[in-house]
Amino acid sequence: MLVSVNWLSQYVDLSDINPKELAEKITRTGIEVESVNVLSTATNVVIGYVEERVQHPNADKLSVCQVNVGGEDGVVQIVCGAKNIAAGQKIIVAKPGAVLPGNFKIKKSKLRGEASNGMCCSLKELGIEQKLVPHAYADGIFVCADDAPIGMDALEYLKFHDTIIELGLTPNRMDCLSMYGVAYEVAAILSRDVHFDAVNVQEVKESATELIKVSSMTNKAPRYLARVVKNVEIKESPQWLQARLIAAGMRPKNNVVDVTNYVMLEMGQPLHAFDYDTISSKEIVVREAVSGETMTTLDGTDRELVAGDLVITDGVKPIAIAGVMGGLETEVTDQTTNVLLESALFDRLSVRQTSTRLGLRSESSARFEKGIDPNRTELALNRAAELLAQLANGEVCQGIVACDEWVMTPVVIEITADKINSVLGTTMTTDEVATIWERLGFAYTVDQEVYKVNVPSRRLDITIVEDLIEEAGRIYGYDNIPMTLPATDMKGGYSPLQLLRHQAHQTLMACGLTQVITYSLTGVKKAEQCLSLPKTKKELVKLAMPMSEERAYLRQSTIPQLLEVVAYNNARTIENVAIYEIGKVYAKENDRYLEETKISGAMTGHLETNKWQSKVEKVDFYMVKGYVDTLLEEMGHLNVTYVPVVPEEYKDFHPGRSAMVYVNEVLVGVVGQIHPELQRTLDLNETYVFELSLDLLFTLDSSRQSYKPVPKHPGMTRDIALVVNRDVLAGDLVQTIKRAANKLLQNVEVFDVYEGKGVEDGKKSVAISLYYLDNEKTLTDEDLQPVHQKVLNALTDEHSAVLRG
């Protein structure tokens, strides 16, 4: 909900509080304020009068205009490119020195040889979104009314000196989908009175009952009210009304449509205006649609209706979809002279189902879905009729034509101050509680400290005692509620699974990866991509009511979403990406819904290991495999093996640069490069990923990490260079060394492999560092020599290794 502070101040005194302070107070009482923005930040813009317009001598698409901007400047020459500029217009002029939104500064200049002393402005150039600019001025400058004073501050004339507070409303706070509702809320917060102007409809003698009949054939429309307004003049709305609609995020259209939208925003009651003369039967019948019926809505789209859709008909055919959108046939146009106004209560569920099925989400349907104040149905209808008489010179026919079976059941809740205090932990007195009900505008009686609170019809969200307690806490002030710890003997802590998850986070962040959180919802194609455990592939889980086809399924792998993040960054020239996610995946098997936690990562580009020395390493399979090794080792999983993937099962992975990950001979995931074809499809560079099942890893045995004291005695290092056949694996040499050495050997590390000059063909030199340590005493050469010689002998016997001289 976008709230105009200027509009709000019409109902509540805000003279001593600025918008940001007000926004802070609103947030602290339970309604989140998402933003506070000035409607237009333009400076030094005035109303100008175009006295003369001639074609630019050197440009076909430019005009040279003589514009009177008033004051000392008088008439100035401005070069303008707008197609709709003409002599005799009142326009918006940005004078030299003006600053428009986006820090666009206006200076004196020459355009194709002609001096230009300012700029003729459109509403977009004042910072108004294009979608809110009236259609007549969507492609050109804005033309003001003839009575606009020359030289006047343009923002003051346009009523754009305003601040907009955007409220992030939860579904239960339907009352704040109107300015009336926000006014009640702000008045309660500030402990001030609310002032609403009385509605006074001037009627003519002609009776509305002679012009239209109303009936209902369904209980989904318990109240339907209508008024007839004759001889309206269709024209632009006055500037104050256009400004309020623009501030609320709605595009002005004409005075009749604008009045219905204005009253909806003001009171929260959606209205609709029909061209009375297009209703052939002069009868309104509300009923449920017959399956297969069709109608063309205001957006020009033919809609097929189904049984259960609630429609407004002329007794024969539908002319509007109740609460959702009107029909094109009865649209108010420039030729309209007589108007039928509708104000009604429609079934919330019916409106929601129809709106969702047709993909028609409107301001009207949003309010009907959440619930509207039934006591404003007639008030809003009269308010709209009053405004049409004032702004469209309409003649309001006598009386309201109604089909009304609505019975209002009052909501009365009994509560005591002791009950409130026991829940909130406060010490409010009965007088303080009474003050809260008064600030909220809730009528009440009190008998022996028991309050009987009459909940107003605008607050449909308050139905039980707990709701009233919440209201009391909000208005009393959450900051005033004492901070106490709950009385309990329980001690908190991580569960084993939470510890494992936390350890994974810490390890991956320490490796330099950045955490991301992606959508669990995806499309069918991506839901079947990059499965790390294809042998256990299950049925996809589809949403019953998806937002779109792209978000219709629950994911079975987190990798496709990570690739989206990589592609998003690559498209913005961020080529080096290293990210990870710990998230859920979902599947269905034998009518059972399954969910599993995955640890996944994606890397591309280069890894900068030392900025000072500008040392960079290109991301490859071994780098990502190293991160997986580190992660599993930190989790205590040491029995890890990698097996090349089966291309038929891992079709989205590079067949030669990908491997299945086994822990204790159990397949837990995959690591490798994305298949080049998929990379091209996603417009990715060489990208590597991994995905492991955290749930599987949790069930597998792991080696507990234990503390090892710092050695008291020095160790000894022996470096050896072995010449072996080229096909001997370095890993096999390391395994031989570990088997041959005794407990003195602490670490083995390969630090060089060489082929070339000095090494005969078919051979290679492998340099290995061995670290020996005796925890009981200082190691000597005499102690070490037998052990080291045993290692050398084993290498010679098993691999024909020769020490390189």
Side-chain angles (χ1 to χ4, degrees):
M1 177 69 180
L2 300 178
V3 178
S4 160
V5 173
N6 285 353
W7 192 352
L8 182 62
S9 61
Q10 177 181 325
Y11 310 126
V12 183
D13 180 13
L14 304 177
S15 58
D16 60 345
I17 185 169
N18 67 53
K20 289 190 176 179
E21 291 174 341
L22 177 60
E24 177 67 19
K25 289 180 179 294
I26 293 173
T27 298
R28 286 182 175 275
T29 51
I31 296 179
E32 181 184 2
V33 172
E34 295 186 348
S35 65
V36 179
N37 298 306
V38 176
L39 185 57
S40 176
T41 60
T43 62
N44 203 18
V45 289
V46 299
I47 302 297
Y49 176 72
V50 183
E51 295 189 349
E52 180 183 294
R53 177 262 174 198
V54 297
Q55 181 66 43
H56 194 294
N58 303 316
D60 294 338
K61 296 184 179 181
L62 297 178
S63 302
V64 180
C65 304
Q66 304 302 318
V67 184
N68 185 350
V69 296
E72 297 179 356
D73 296 317
V75 179
V76 297
Q77 179 170 295
I78 299 177
V79 178
C80 178
K83 295 179 181 180
N84 65 328
I85 194 164
Q89 293 176 335
K90 297 285 185 70
I91 63 172
I92 303 167
V93 177
K95 299 166 68 174
V99 180
L100 301 182
N103 199 31
F104 182 59
K105 299 177 181 178
I106 305 300
K107 301 176 182 178
K108 292 182 179 181
S109 61
K110 279 193 174 184
L111 296 176
R112 295 290 185 92
E114 294 292 330
S116 184
N117 300 298
M119 177 180 176
C120 304
C121 296
S122 66
L123 292 186
K124 183 180 180 181
E125 287 157 341
L126 296 184
I128 304 303
E129 290 185 74
Q130 185 67 33
K131 67 179 182 179
L132 303 180
V133 177
H135 286 294
Y137 310 113
D139 298 320
I141 60 170
F142 183 76
V143 180
C144 305
D146 292 337
D147 61 354
I150 297 173
M152 181 181 182
D153 183 318
L155 296 189
E156 183 179 345
Y157 169 77
L158 295 170
K159 312 297 183 186
F160 285 175
H161 282 308
D162 198 359
T163 302
I164 310 303
I165 298 175
E166 183 177 4
L167 303 181
L169 298 175
T170 50
N172 63 309
R173 290 308 304 269
M174 47 67 60
D175 58 302
C176 286
L177 281 173
S178 68
M179 293 302 299
Y180 271 29
V182 176
Y184 277 117
E185 178 73 9
V186 170
I189 293 170
L190 301 180
S191 189
R192 296 178 183 178
D193 294 330
V194 180
H195 304 284
F196 298 124
D197 294 333
V199 176
N200 183 18
V201 183
Q202 299 295 325
E203 299 178 327
V204 298
K205 291 184 178 180
E206 187 173 10
S207 174
T209 57
E210 298 176 0
L211 301 173
I212 195 74
K213 294 181 179 179
V214 172
S215 61
S216 177
M217 300 172 62
T218 174
N219 59 5
K220 291 183 179 180
R223 171 176 286 183
Y224 191 95
L225 311 179
R227 269 192 178 275
V228 178
V229 184
K230 300 186 70 175
N231 299 322
V232 297
E233 298 177 16
I234 305 297
K235 56 186 178 181
E236 287 186 4
S237 297
Q239 188 55 47
W240 68 266
L241 179 52
Q242 292 192 47
R244 288 191 173 176
L245 291 179
I246 289 172
M250 301 189 76
R251 186 202 294 265
K253 187 174 182 181
N254 60 51
N255 52 352
V256 173
V257 175
D258 291 352
V259 162
T260 60
N261 287 332
Y262 175 81
V263 175
M264 177 185 68
L265 293 169
E266 183 180 46
M267 298 187 178
Q269 170 68 53
L271 304 172
H272 186 66
F274 298 94
D275 185 328
Y276 171 81
D277 295 316
T278 62
I279 305 173
S280 56
S281 66
K282 301 301 179 277
E283 181 181 9
I284 295 294
V285 178
V286 186
R287 62 171 172 83
E288 294 183 31
V290 177
S291 184
E293 275 189 304
T294 61
M295 68 167 290
T296 304
T297 47
L298 286 171
D299 57 2
T301 303
D302 293 332
R303 308 283 181 179
E304 183 174 344
L305 305 173
V306 300
D309 288 341
L310 189 60
V311 292
I312 313 301
T313 75
D314 60 1
V316 179
K317 60 184 182 301
I319 58 175
I321 303 174
V324 180
M325 186 173 286
L328 188 63
E329 183 180 339
T330 55
E331 177 186 18
V332 172
T333 66
D334 293 343
Q335 287 71 46
T336 298
T337 56
N338 302 311
V339 171
L340 176 71
L341 283 176
E342 162 196 288
S343 182
L345 289 179
F346 296 128
D347 180 70
R348 297 162 62 173
L349 181 58
S350 177
V351 172
R352 176 175 177 80
Q353 288 175 337
T354 302
S355 172
T356 302
R357 183 179 60 79
L358 295 176
L360 278 176
R361 298 285 296 170
S362 63
E363 294 285 348
S364 173
S365 66
R367 285 164 173 78
F368 277 120
E369 289 172 16
K370 293 176 174 61
I372 59 176
D373 183 351
N375 283 335
R376 290 188 196 154
T377 309
E378 182 176 345
L379 179 66
L381 183 64
N382 289 334
R383 173 64 167 155
E386 176 189 38
L387 289 174
L388 286 184
Q390 295 174 2
L391 307 180
N393 298 320
E395 299 172 358
V396 182
C397 293
Q398 195 174 71
I400 294 175
V401 185
C403 176
D404 192 355
E405 298 179 359
W406 175 259
V407 178
M408 186 67 187
T409 303
V411 177
V412 181
I413 302 175
E414 294 187 1
I415 195 170
T416 64
D418 289 342
K419 175 64 175 177
I420 295 172
N421 289 328
S422 67
V423 174
L424 298 180
T426 54
T427 56
M428 282 188 273
T429 64
T430 53
D431 289 341
E432 287 177 316
V433 173
T435 300
I436 289 174
W437 306 145
E438 291 166 4
R439 288 170 62 179
L440 286 166
F442 292 2
Y444 69 93
T445 59
V446 58
D447 183 21
Q448 296 183 351
E449 298 186 351
V450 177
Y451 293 96
K452 287 187 176 181
V453 181
N454 294 273
V455 180
S457 58
R458 58 187 166 84
R459 293 302 301 272
L460 299 180
D461 57 310
I462 300 177
T463 58
I464 58 177
V465 168
E466 286 71 18
D467 295 330
L468 274 185
I469 295 173
E470 181 183 2
E471 292 299 297
R474 288 194 317 111
I475 303 305
Y476 181 71
Y478 293 135
D479 292 342
N480 297 324
I481 295 176
M483 296 178 62
T484 57
L485 292 174
T488 176
D489 295 330
M490 295 177 62
K491 295 182 179 179
Y494 286 126
S495 68
L497 182 58
Q498 288 174 327
L499 281 172
L500 190 66
R501 186 188 183 108
H502 180 72
Q503 190 175 43
H505 275 298
Q506 296 300 315
T507 302
L508 292 172
M509 285 190 289
C511 288
L513 277 69
T514 301
Q515 183 188 8
V516 298
I517 300 174
T518 62
Y519 283 118
S520 295
L521 302 179
T522 187
V524 62
K525 186 175 180 180
K526 288 186 178 178
E528 296 175 339
Q529 279 181 350
C530 304
L531 300 182
S532 58
L533 303 175
K535 292 181 180 179
T536 59
K537 178 181 175 183
K538 307 293 192 303
E539 181 184 347
L540 293 178
V541 178
K542 185 176 182 180
L543 272 65
M545 300 176 66
M547 296 181 292
S548 65
E549 286 300 316
E550 290 76 20
R551 305 291 180 196
Y553 291 85
L554 288 170
R555 65 186 177 185
Q556 283 195 326
S557 170
T558 54
I559 294 176
Q561 280 68 42
L562 293 185
L563 296 180
E564 285 183 355
V565 177
V566 174
Y568 182 89
N569 282 272
N570 285 175
R572 287 153 182 79
T573 69
I574 302 174
E575 297 179 352
N576 303 326
V577 180
I579 55 176
Y580 81 93
E581 178 176 15
I582 301 179
K584 298 280 189 180
V585 298
Y586 306 87
K588 184 180 179 182
E589 184 180 34
N590 299 328
D591 294 328
R592 280 194 318 123
Y593 291 97
L594 310 173
E595 67 176 34
E596 184 179 11
T597 304
K598 297 278 191 175
I599 308 173
S600 57
M603 298 181 67
T604 186
H606 292 80
L607 177 68
E608 192 168 3
T609 57
N610 191 320
K611 290 187 177 182
W612 179 256
Q613 296 177 340
S614 298
K615 182 181 179 182
V616 296
E617 295 181 41
K618 184 179 179 181
V619 174
D620 60 13
F621 171 80
Y622 296 102
M623 180 184 293
V624 181
K625 174 181 172 293
Y627 287 139
V628 173
D629 283 335
T630 302
L631 174 63
L632 294 174
E633 184 178 345
E634 288 296 318
M635 289 181 169
H637 296 294
L638 304 180
N639 185 17
V640 181
T641 55
Y642 297 87
V643 178
V645 298
V646 180
E648 293 76 16
E649 295 182 355
Y650 290 85
K651 56 184 177 60
D652 294 320
F653 292 87
H654 192 299
R657 299 179 182 175
S658 302
M660 298 177 286
V661 184
Y662 286 84
V663 173
N664 298 345
E665 300 184 354
V666 175
L667 178 62
V668 297
V670 67
V671 58
Q673 182 185 343
I674 295 300
H675 198 285
E677 289 186 5
L678 182 56
Q679 288 179 173
R680 283 193 294 272
T681 301
L682 300 176
D683 196 20
L684 294 172
N685 298 320
E686 193 173 296
T687 302
Y688 292 85
V689 298
F690 67 86
E691 185 174 64
L692 307 172
S693 170
L694 182 66
D695 293 344
L696 271 177
L697 292 171
F698 179 68
T699 63
L700 299 177
D701 292 335
S702 61
S703 301
R704 288 186 172 274
Q705 295 185 358
S706 58
Y707 168 74
K708 293 183 179 180
V710 177
K712 298 179 180 179
H713 307 284
M716 299 180 68
T717 300
R718 291 287 186 266
D719 294 340
I720 56 176
L722 304 172
V723 177
V724 295
N725 291 331
R726 184 182 293 170
D727 59 355
V728 174
L729 300 178
D732 291 341
L733 297 175
V734 171
Q735 292 301 321
T736 298
I737 292 172
K738 289 181 177 180
R739 284 196 302 271
N742 63 9
K743 62 181 181 180
L744 294 180
L745 182 66
Q746 301 294 314
N747 188 47
V748 182
E749 182 178 355
V750 177
F751 64 88
D752 185 44
V753 177
Y754 172 74
E755 295 181 43
K757 187 177 180 180
V759 178
E760 63 182 284
D761 292 341
K763 301 283 187 176
K764 64 181 178 182
S765 173
V766 181
I768 304 175
S769 179
L770 292 78
Y771 179 69
Y772 297 95
L773 174 70
D774 190 333
N775 290 317
E776 303 298 329
K777 63 178 182 178
T778 300
L779 197 61
T780 64
D781 286 334
E782 290 76 11
D783 298 325
L784 178 59
Q785 186 56 35
V787 177
H788 189 62
Q789 187 60 48
K790 184 180 178 182
V791 169
L792 297 178
N793 293 339
L795 291 169
T796 300
D797 294 340
E798 295 184 24
H799 305 289
S800 302
V802 178
L803 283 175
R804 185 179 176 190

